[in-house]
Amino acid sequence: MKKFIYPILCLISAIYSVCYAGIGGFRGNAGALSKIGLSHPFLFAVWGITTYAVLGFGIIQGYRKTKYKFYIWLLAVSFIGILLTVSCDFDYDERVQYVLHCLGSLTFSAVMGITVFLLFLLSKSYILAAISGVVLIEDLVLLIIFKETAIIELMPIFTGYILMSIYNFKKEKILIGTHG
């Protein structure tokens, strides 16, 4: 039962994310998660903190199978990013808040994605590493082409939920880099 806790948390967070994104629609810039947050700041904060917590929990579980501890610093940086994202408005008229929001969002997304990718790579889970890498690159390209939409923003998060659930479902402890 214990190994099902993480996938259940992912499912709950994914359902909340879909309901939250549904407020603004899934396509077009008006449906961007941050844009919705201008009208619904509390719901946006719940979405951001929940997303961070669920991904972070999966990362902690995953890295405990390794000897690496650097993920703790990466999670701290990512946490600062999500705090800036949910506490600063995505309002261009409030330029300082807008810049802090964007920096926070970029920091959260990039650092969280890199942390997940590195876990798979260092654990020699090359298929999961390749999938996560492709999704991260694809998401960046789609963001550049289409700007922010809920579908594009949620794609790497949902992929992270799925891949982390698969990875953490494995029971054995993998001590990477140890001899003997």
Side-chain angles (χ1 to χ4, degrees):
M1 178 62 181
K2 189 177 181 181
K3 63 181 170 180
F4 291 105
I5 291 173
Y6 185 70
I8 290 168
L9 291 174
C10 290
L11 182 62
I12 292 167
S13 183
I15 290 169
Y16 182 85
S17 294
V18 169
C19 291
Y20 174 74
I23 294 170
F26 295 95
R27 297 176 21 191
N29 192 254
L33 303 176
S34 297
K35 285 264 192 173
I36 299 167
L38 289 172
S39 302
H40 304 282
F42 178 76
L43 297 177
F44 182 56
V46 169
W47 172 81
I49 298 302
T50 302
T51 299
Y52 172 84
V54 172
L55 285 172
F57 181 65
I59 287 168
I60 291 167
Q61 278 187 317
Y63 274 95
R64 284 186 178 163
K65 296 179 181 183
T66 74
K67 68 176 183 108
Y68 298 105
K69 302 291 181 223
F70 66 86
Y71 75 93
I72 296 167
W73 291 103
L74 294 174
L75 284 177
V77 170
S78 185
F79 183 68
I80 293 167
I82 199 65
L83 285 181
L84 286 171
T85 303
V86 299
S87 64
C88 297
D89 286 339
F90 185 67
D91 182 355
Y92 190 72
D93 293 334
E94 299 291 330
R95 300 236 168 122
V96 172
Q97 281 202 38
Y98 177 80
V99 168
L100 289 174
H101 174 91
C102 292
L103 286 173
S105 178
L106 179 61
T107 300
F108 163 71
S109 301
V111 173
M112 193 64 82
I114 289 167
T115 305
V116 170
F117 174 78
L118 286 175
L119 171 63
F120 299 150
L121 187 65
L122 295 171
S123 299
K124 298 180 182 175
S125 296
Y126 297 124
I127 293 173
L128 297 180
I131 293 169
S132 67
V134 166
V135 168
L136 290 172
I137 292 167
E138 179 184 43
D139 192 60
L140 177 62
V141 170
L142 290 173
L143 282 170
I144 291 168
I145 295 170
F146 297 107
K147 307 227 188 261
E148 296 177 38
T149 69
I151 292 173
I152 294 172
E153 291 176 307
L154 291 175
M155 183 176 48
I157 293 167
F158 288 178
T159 301
Y161 289 163
I162 293 166
L163 297 181
M164 291 301 300
S165 292
I166 291 168
Y167 181 83
N168 286 327
F169 204 73
K170 296 188 271 180
K171 207 173 196 177
E172 71 279 356
K173 187 171 184 140
I174 305 165
L175 290 176
I176 301 166
T178 60
H179 302 298

